[in-house]
Amino acid sequence: MLCAALGAVFLSPSVGAESRSDPSTTSTAANDIVASIDAGRFREAEAAIAKALSRPDITTEQREALAFQRERMRRILIDFTLDADAVKARLRKQIPDLTDAEFAKWDQAGLLEKQVIDGRTLYFKRSPGNLFRLSAEARARRKEQTPFDDGPNEVLNDHHRAVRQAALAEHSSSVLPRRESVTQILTVKADAVPASETVRAWIPYPRAIKGQQENIRLVSSDPAGARIAPESAMQRTAYLEKKAVAGKPTEFSITYELTLYARYVDIDPAKVVRAPITPELAPFVAERAPHIVFTDAMRAYSKRAVGDETNPYRIAQKLFAAVDTIPWAGAREYSTLSNIGDYTLHAGHGDCGEQTLLLITLLRLNGIPARWQSGWIFSDGKYNNIHDWGQVYLAPYGWVPMDVTFGRLAAGANAKPGDDTLEWFYLGGLDAYRVAFNDDFSQPFVPAKTFFRSETVDSQRGEVEWKGGNLYFDQWDYDFRWHRVDTPEGAGDTTR
């Protein structure tokens, strides 16, 4: 199944056990299957899927959408692997004297993500670690108060100060260019694919974005001859093939150089006006099921956050601040969630992509164009990670960056004069330590995948398949390496 269709068929009105002559009943059947899975009624969902698949008039699209719902159940069970005793055992590694009463209190407060699946209460495998992100009380109970492994640019620092200073001095929104060499590696585990079979791999690859990342040059690939997707691919990749060898991992890699810029737009709220919604902007104020939907709950949350504000920038600030209060926590695989924006609203926590999709939904609901961006972030040290953020359109400034996960930057104990002006750095600015691979979500690959993607929304780790099917994340690993290089004279994007 082509990955581009995944988002569209997740709640596809063409999928169901009812007659195709009645779209309303077909849509209801499809929604019922999704709802059953979301509610943990897997046996019920499986019975409905089996019944639908037995119909002689089922279409290929319907069959593939139903097959994905089966795969979604399998993936959910990979994410939800712990019972209560296992969660307690993991927590006691950090809280040796954890009591059952404490556990029950945190559990009842919804701080330990769980799902009842066919009568069994199963906890998300990352819920023990997430508890310390979500509860100050739990953090205080740890025997060792070790800091979280957060990125250095999530707190106000000299880089943010330098970006703003350079932008104002140079009267430019793109400053402090740095030339980076990047190597991305994807390693399929030994014998995940039978010997001599062809393994197909897609490794994320950046697009040229004026003023953000430019002069992209492919240096090498292993195996040689990487097929780089066209610049128009909104989720761009480098495609590679290699034969599997018995007993050995199958490794793919690409190395490229690019010039990255920090961004800073000095926004004057008094100058921001409501942007006319042109045909070019219209898609970015629209709903986009399944993950951007203007539900009643979303409207109510927006109203509480925005109040009577009418200035688009002030509305964006209020929504940014509201989502910024939702704590970060390690996320379930996106492909298992039927509506990411709604999930984040109700879960009370979310990772970067979940927070970003919630903010995009809220901005669009208020008629403010917003869109997705994601890729990889890194540092001058050892820190690196996959990351999602976005862009918001504010007239007369145009598209400006936003990163609600990094959120509002608070001046700390070592504050310097002018730090108060950097509170909203990430609503209009961006650090120079990130490579964007994606300018949209749930977009097709070039060349297309044959089977379901492991990640149906984002594209940061890569994708792998062979003629026997997709290889899920438990069958391969990925890595990202980088170092700064001088900008070569006359460098250009040689991959277009």
Side-chain angles (χ1 to χ4, degrees):
M1 179 177 181
L2 299 183
C3 60
L6 285 176
V9 303
F10 203 95
L11 294 165
S12 173
S14 65
V15 179
E18 306 301 325
S19 169
R20 292 174 58 206
S21 63
D22 186 347
S24 64
T25 57
T26 301
S27 177
T28 299
N31 290 339
D32 286 349
I33 289 171
V34 172
S36 293
I37 295 172
D38 288 346
R41 300 191 299 270
F42 283 17
R43 285 193 292 266
E44 177 185 298
E46 175 55 39
I49 291 170
K51 181 180 179 181
L53 289 172
S54 70
R55 291 188 61 88
D57 58 347
I58 189 170
T59 67
T60 299
E61 182 185 17
Q62 291 171 339
R63 185 177 299 278
E64 291 174 342
L66 290 166
F68 180 72
Q69 292 305 319
R70 275 183 168 162
E71 171 66 5
R72 187 162 77 99
M73 288 189 282
R74 187 186 78 86
R75 294 180 181 187
I76 289 172
L77 290 172
I78 292 175
D79 273 352
F80 287 79
T81 57
L82 306 176
D83 61 16
D85 288 340
V87 176
K88 290 178 185 177
R90 291 194 183 187
L91 291 176
R92 286 187 172 119
K93 292 180 180 179
Q94 299 195 56
I95 308 175
D97 59 345
L98 173 75
T99 67
D100 287 345
E102 281 180 311
F103 176 84
K105 180 175 65 173
W106 293 332
D107 192 19
Q108 290 167 10
L111 299 175
L112 294 161
E113 188 167 2
K114 63 185 177 182
Q115 188 168 359
V116 179
I117 300 176
D118 291 335
R120 295 178 60 209
T121 300
L122 297 173
Y123 290 80
F124 179 37
K125 62 188 178 184
R126 298 182 68 176
S127 65
N130 281 344
L131 173 65
F132 301 108
R133 293 272 187 177
L134 304 177
S135 170
E137 182 183 24
R139 286 196 299 275
R141 291 277 283 119
R142 291 187 298 175
K143 64 179 181 181
E144 296 181 9
Q145 294 298 317
T146 54
F148 296 119
D149 185 24
D150 292 332
N153 285 320
E154 294 186 50
V155 295
L156 195 156
N157 61 48
D158 283 342
H159 179 63
H160 303 114
R161 299 179 183 108
V163 171
R164 182 175 186 275
Q165 182 179 7
L168 297 179
E170 299 172 18
H171 303 287
S172 173
S173 61
S174 298
V175 295
L176 306 184
R178 53 187 301 135
R179 188 76 178 168
E180 295 284 343
S181 174
V182 175
T183 297
Q184 293 167 229
I185 302 168
L186 190 156
T187 306
V188 179
K189 296 179 180 178
D191 301 319
V193 173
S196 301
E197 293 289 354
T198 298
V199 184
R200 307 174 68 207
W202 290 257
I203 297 178
Y205 192 85
R207 300 172 67 239
I209 304 170
K210 185 174 178 57
Q212 182 175 338
Q213 54 189 33
E214 301 179 357
N215 299 328
I216 304 165
R217 182 176 72 89
L218 180 67
V219 175
S220 63
S221 69
D222 181 15
R227 177 177 169 184
I228 305 299
E231 191 81 24
S232 58
M234 300 304 280
Q235 292 193 316
R236 201 180 191 192
T237 57
Y239 173 76
L240 300 157
E241 292 184 358
K242 185 181 281 190
K243 297 284 188 182
V245 177
K248 296 183 178 181
T250 307
E251 184 172 288
F252 303 87
S253 69
I254 58 170
T255 296
Y256 56 88
E257 292 182 359
L258 79 172
T259 300
L260 302 173
Y261 293 83
R263 301 287 317 284
Y264 184 82
V265 180
D266 188 28
I267 298 172
D268 180 351
K271 294 181 179 179
V272 177
V273 297
R274 179 72 61 172
I277 303 304
T278 63
E280 291 75 21
L281 290 178
F284 304 109
V285 293
E287 294 179 278
R288 183 172 156 191
H291 299 303
I292 299 177
V293 181
F294 303 157
T295 64
D296 290 342
M298 199 72 67
R299 293 180 187 279
Y301 184 86
S302 172
K303 181 60 177 176
R304 289 194 300 271
V306 173
D308 297 325
E309 183 59 65
T310 58
N311 179 284
Y313 178 70
R314 295 301 188 194
I315 292 173
Q317 279 186 311
K318 286 176 175 288
L319 294 173
F320 186 97
V323 177
D324 189 26
T325 65
I326 296 174
W328 186 96
R332 297 165 52 181
E333 289 297 341
Y334 291 174
S335 65
T336 68
L337 299 172
S338 57
N339 181 335
I340 291 175
D342 183 72
Y343 166 85
T344 312
L345 182 65
H346 290 94
H349 59 79
D351 78 346
C352 53
E354 293 170 335
Q355 293 167 328
T356 297
L357 277 169
L358 173 57
L359 180 56
I360 288 173
T361 303
L362 292 165
L363 288 166
R364 291 187 182 188
L365 174 59
N366 283 273
I368 301 172
R371 64 189 184 189
W372 174 272
Q373 201 167 73
S374 68
W376 206 282
I377 55 175
F378 59 96
S379 67
D380 288 329
K382 295 182 179 180
Y383 178 84
N384 70 97
N385 207 345
I386 57 178
H387 188 55
D388 306 325
W389 60 98
Q391 295 178 326
V392 58
Y393 190 91
L394 297 171
Y397 299 98
W399 288 106
V400 301
M402 63 179 186
D403 189 336
V404 71
T405 303
F406 283 20
R408 297 160 71 179
L409 298 179
N414 298 317
K416 297 181 180 181
D419 278 359
D420 57 323
T421 62
L422 292 167
E423 177 183 1
W424 298 96
F425 178 91
Y426 283 107
L427 185 57
L430 210 61
D431 55 78
Y433 292 88
R434 57 185 73 201
V435 179
F437 300 139
N438 310 297
D439 283 299
D440 201 353
F441 61 92
S442 299
Q443 292 299 306
F445 285 172
V446 180
K449 273 192 105 249
T450 301
F451 300 99
F452 300 128
R453 274 167 53 171
S454 294
E455 170 55 273
T456 57
V457 177
D458 220 341
S459 174
Q460 297 155 302
R461 293 168 280 187
E463 294 284 339
V464 198
E465 68 180 26
W466 68 294
K467 71 178 184 182
N470 178 64
L471 297 184
Y472 199 51
F473 292 125
D474 54 350
Q475 295 174 290
W476 50 273
D477 297 308
Y478 61 99
D479 196 11
F480 180 95
R481 302 171 186 172
W482 72 98
H483 66 272
R484 189 165 183 176
V485 296
D486 292 332
T487 305
E489 185 177 348
D493 188 340
T494 63
T495 63
R496 283 186 261 182

